[in-house]
């Protein structure tokens, strides 16, 4: 216990958490990732209680033990989404955007898929809605925007004979969009 715990403390001081990859081995050869993974299993299942005592659990908690990795990662990513929303006022995150080690654009795309599959919890959806999560993908949003402009143009003029260079008041290139729809 002492050798592994000492390595866990060192890791925590270097990295600020105990979210250690299960294959991670310390420079001194301690398989820290496997040990922490085993501790998570022991705690969940209730086995080896003589080894993983309440005092040892508290020691691990004091240095930031991550007991539930998926929840930890979700919270870390959500915090990055909140930061992005506060900075830019929206969550239209480019798919390649990353910050603080979080591939936020990829995570947003993953969330959309998870919601459509029904694998997001109601609480997660509620929290994401609070920061104005965009549940449709960027292609669908772009198409909807173009369609809305086309409807408006049609309502005003009675046709969709939009000149190629026509741009809407908000800068949307409706003429180009119409051509692209005709060629699709």
């Amino acid at each position: 216990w002492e050798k592994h715990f000492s390595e866990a403390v060192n890791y925590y001081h270097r990295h600020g958490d105990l979210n250690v990859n299960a294959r991670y081995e310390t420079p001194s050869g301690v398989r820290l990732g496997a040990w922490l993974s085993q501790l998570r299993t022991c705690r969940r299942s209730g086995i080896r209680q003589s080894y993983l005592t309440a005092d040892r659990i508290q020691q691990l908690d004091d240095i930031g033990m991550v007991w539930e990795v998926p929840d930890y990662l979700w919270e870390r990513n959500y915090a990055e989404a909140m930061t992005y929303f506060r900075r830019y006022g929206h969550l239209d995150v480019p798919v390649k955007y990353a910050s603080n080690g979080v591939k936020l654009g990829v995570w947003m795309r993953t969330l959309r898929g998870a919601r459509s599959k029904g694998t997001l919890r109601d609480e997660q959806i509620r929290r994401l809605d609070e920061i104005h999560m965009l549940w449709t993908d960027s292609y669908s949003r772009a198409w909807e925007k173009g369609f809305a402009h086309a409807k408006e143009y049609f309502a005003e003029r009675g046709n969709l004979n939009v000149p190629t260079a026509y741009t809407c008041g908000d800068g949307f290139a409706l003429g180009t969009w119409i051509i692209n729809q005709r060629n699709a």
Side-chain angles (χ1 to χ4, degrees):
W1 168 267
E2 292 303 323
K3 178 173 82 172
H4 284 86
F5 183 73
S6 175
E7 291 288 353
V9 169
N10 290 338
Y11 185 94
Y12 175 76
H13 288 302
R14 282 192 313 272
H15 301 279
D17 63 40
L18 282 182
N19 183 35
V20 181
N21 184 297
R23 293 182 297 268
Y24 176 77
E25 189 172 310
T26 67
S28 62
V30 172
R31 295 179 55 223
L32 183 62
W35 182 69
L36 293 172
S37 181
Q38 186 179 38
L39 292 178
R40 288 184 189 101
T41 300
C42 289
R43 185 166 185 200
R44 266 193 304 273
S45 66
I47 60 172
R48 297 186 68 197
Q49 291 178 350
S50 61
Y51 182 73
L52 189 59
T53 63
D55 287 340
R56 288 179 174 175
I57 290 171
Q58 186 59 54
Q59 286 179 306
L60 289 163
D61 285 344
D62 289 346
I63 60 168
M65 176 64 174
V66 175
W67 294 105
E68 298 296 332
V69 174
D71 290 341
Y72 169 80
L73 294 175
W74 198 93
E75 291 299 333
R76 183 192 68 176
N77 293 349
Y78 180 77
E80 282 301 316
M82 283 182 54
T83 299
Y84 187 96
F85 179 75
R86 287 182 185 135
R87 180 175 296 140
Y88 300 106
H90 62 79
L91 284 179
D92 191 7
V93 181
V95 75
K96 293 184 179 183
Y97 180 86
S99 176
N100 296 321
V102 174
K103 295 178 181 175
L104 190 59
V106 172
W107 188 62
M108 292 291 177
R109 184 175 57 194
T110 302
L111 289 173
R112 289 183 195 101
R115 184 176 188 196
S116 69
K117 292 176 188 168
T119 57
L120 277 183
R121 296 190 305 262
D122 289 342
E123 174 67 10
Q124 291 171 326
I125 293 169
R126 184 192 62 73
R127 289 176 65 195
L128 289 162
D129 283 343
E130 285 176 359
I131 58 172
H132 306 282
M133 174 66 181
L134 299 170
W135 293 110
T136 55
D137 62 79
S138 60
Y139 299 109
S140 297
R141 290 192 307 274
W143 193 90
E144 290 296 331
K145 183 177 181 178
F147 184 70
H149 280 293
K151 280 177 53 176
E152 187 176 306
Y153 186 96
F154 185 83
E156 291 174 3
R157 293 169 180 81
N159 65 62
L160 284 177
N161 298 324
V162 183
T164 304
Y166 183 83
T167 303
C168 300
D170 66 355
F172 184 80
L174 181 61
T176 302
W177 186 85
I178 291 289
I179 288 171
N180 289 338
Q181 301 315 302
R182 289 181 180 139
N183 293 332

